[in-house]
Amino acid sequence: MSAKTFPSPFLTRENTALLLVDHQVGLYTGVRDIDTLELKHNVGGMTKALLALKIPVVATTTTERMWGPMIPELTEALKGVPKIERTTVNAWDERRVVEAVKATGRKQLLVTGISTDVCLAFPAIAALADGYQTFAVIDASGSFTKMQGELGVMRMVQAGVIPVAYSNAVVELLGDNAAPEAEAVYGALGMPFVSLVYGLNQYFSKQH
């Protein structure tokens, strides 16, 4: 199968949306390939930063009576953003999820999910087949074993999904450190050294 071609290899603010899949309390208890505190920091920070950049967000959970509610960190960050609860394993098999993504008008899709090999990989590959340029946020996702996570990433890459990290995707979308959203973006990412350097630069820039 020949690789799909897209207008730009880079994420753009005008054409990107975020799809959050199955970040649920019960599923987090099984994550073993990334520390869950780090995982919550990464996905929460990324979501807040993208909202600061006015990137549209679609959030979905699966069978909450089985896997529990969305983690509190995301529930707090996503106030006012509707959540789609479904029963399908593959989020892209749920018509309401596909329609919500389509309604954003964006064709570049950041996807993150628990687990990497199922809840991230399945919709990322399916959305790619439907014409979206999909980017899998690996360090804002997690798997129940290291092997499952690695195989999930391999499967996505072979299908044409682009793997990214939470912070590099965000700064790619920020684009310019002089942008008015920069302070809010770096603050949301929770990278203390970046906030310190940014604050010092702001201070010294006012001394001239």
Side-chain angles (χ1 to χ4, degrees):
M1 183 182 296
S2 60
K4 291 179 180 293
T5 57
F6 295 95
S8 171
F10 295 102
L11 291 160
T12 64
R13 286 202 219 183
E14 299 75 21
N15 204 26
T16 298
L18 171 64
L19 176 60
L20 296 164
V21 184
D22 302 348
H23 286 272
Q24 294 166 249
V25 172
L27 292 170
Y28 267 62
T29 64
V31 171
R32 294 293 181 270
D33 64 340
I34 182 173
D35 179 79
T36 52
L37 289 178
E38 180 183 357
L39 175 56
K40 289 176 181 179
H41 168 273
N42 294 354
V43 71
M46 178 185 66
T47 301
K48 292 174 185 176
L50 294 182
L51 288 171
L53 291 170
K54 297 181 172 54
I55 302 297
V57 177
V58 176
T60 180
T61 58
T62 185
T63 323
E64 292 190 10
R65 63 181 175 78
M66 179 183 297
W67 299 115
M70 180 179 287
I71 59 169
E73 292 81 357
L74 278 182
T75 300
E76 175 69 22
L78 291 171
K79 284 182 177 177
V81 176
K83 178 188 64 179
I84 301 169
E85 185 182 0
R86 47 174 231 289
T87 59
T88 61
V89 171
N90 183 351
W92 209 252
D93 286 339
E94 170 55 61
R95 176 182 52 81
R96 292 172 298 154
V97 172
V98 176
E99 289 180 351
V101 172
K102 186 176 180 180
T104 69
R106 311 298 177 92
K107 295 298 286 185
Q108 293 179 314
L109 191 61
L110 286 165
V111 188
T112 167
I114 309 297
S115 65
T116 303
D117 50 311
V118 176
C119 305
L120 165 57
F122 291 2
I125 293 169
L128 179 72
D130 278 353
Y132 290 85
Q133 187 178 19
T134 54
F135 299 77
V137 191
I138 305 304
D139 60 351
S141 305
S143 288
F144 305 139
T145 69
K146 181 180 178 183
M147 177 65 75
Q148 286 175 322
E150 290 174 348
L151 290 172
V153 173
M154 289 172 60
R155 182 177 181 182
M156 285 187 284
V157 170
Q158 288 180 346
V161 178
I162 302 169
V164 294
Y166 85 103
S167 57
N168 72 263
V170 170
V171 297
E172 187 173 332
L173 287 163
L174 174 63
D176 190 335
N177 287 320
E181 304 91 349
E183 186 172 8
V185 165
Y186 285 121
L189 288 177
M191 302 165 71
F193 68 94
V194 175
S195 299
L196 174 62
V197 172
Y198 181 84
L200 288 172
N201 285 337
Q202 290 292 96
Y203 172 79
F204 286 115
S205 68
K206 294 175 182 176
Q207 305 307 304
H208 299 291

